[in-house]
Amino acid sequence: PPRGDGVRHPRWERSRSPPRRDAARRPRWEQTSQRPSRREPDGSSEQRERRPAHREAPIHRQIAWGKQIAGRDASVESILALFANEGHQFGVRNLATTAHRVGKFGGRRFHSDRRLEALAEACRARIDAFNSQSLANAAWGFAKAGFTNERLFQAIAVGASGKIATFNSQDMANTVW
């Protein structure tokens, strides 16, 4: 509606809902309220069992966990306990930071901890989503902790080879270390 100054303000007059497409231009499944079924290569329409996608927690929880992981009073034990409880919802930054903090403050004391094995598996499963800094931090953290998992380091090497152009000198040094 116009304000008292008599000037029309189009921003306030816009509808908040998106414009509707007319029925002739909408896909058939929108018209009939049924989604199309996925067909298998053999022509059948049976649904395949799918592995559930990784579900990250909302960003505000990621930030809170990041502060817990990187906080002054965080110990390796508290970081690994947080991962054991909430790690299935960690984003890649929190996964890499957890590995880095365990390597930095835990040294080789935790190299045989089962939680570190679970962290390595979580990192390996999401390695394609890691950026250059996350790859470097995770590689350095696991190496510093004395953790030897050939599958993890192979996945990091493959992930790093695809992103080598985005590495800065610090990322390169951490990964090579």
Side-chain angles (χ1 to χ4, degrees), residues 15 22 24 41 68 71 75 87 90 121 152 155:
S15 169
D22 60 14
Q68 284 181 321
S75 66
F90 273 17
E121 184 57 33
L152 170 69

Side-chain angles (χ1 to χ4, degrees), residues 89-139:
Q89 296 180 40
F90 273 17
V92 293
R93 180 177 290 175
N94 285 338
L95 290 172
T97 304
T98 299
H100 185 269
R101 299 293 280 198
V102 168
K104 183 174 183 177
F105 297 116
R108 296 186 180 273
R109 292 178 301 181
F110 292 90
H111 74 278
S112 60
D113 194 318
R114 62 180 170 72
R115 296 172 296 184
L116 197 57
E117 185 73 41
L119 176 61
E121 184 57 33
C123 288
R124 193 185 64 74
R126 309 259 337 268
I127 206 74
D128 292 337
F130 279 47
N131 62 18
S132 60
Q133 184 177 1
S134 297
L135 281 169
N137 288 345

Side-chain angles (χ1 to χ4, degrees), residues 8-42:
R8 295 183 65 118
H9 298 278
R11 186 175 80 214
W12 293 313
E13 294 173 4
R14 286 187 208 143
S15 169
R16 296 235 185 252
S17 60
R20 290 192 58 112
R21 294 185 275 184
D22 60 14
R25 299 183 69 198
R26 279 189 271 164
R28 173 174 266 160
W29 62 268
E30 277 187 7
Q31 294 173 15
T32 62
S33 73
Q34 291 181 346
R35 289 201 175 263
S37 63
R38 290 186 61 128
R39 296 226 176 245
E40 295 296 319
D42 63 356

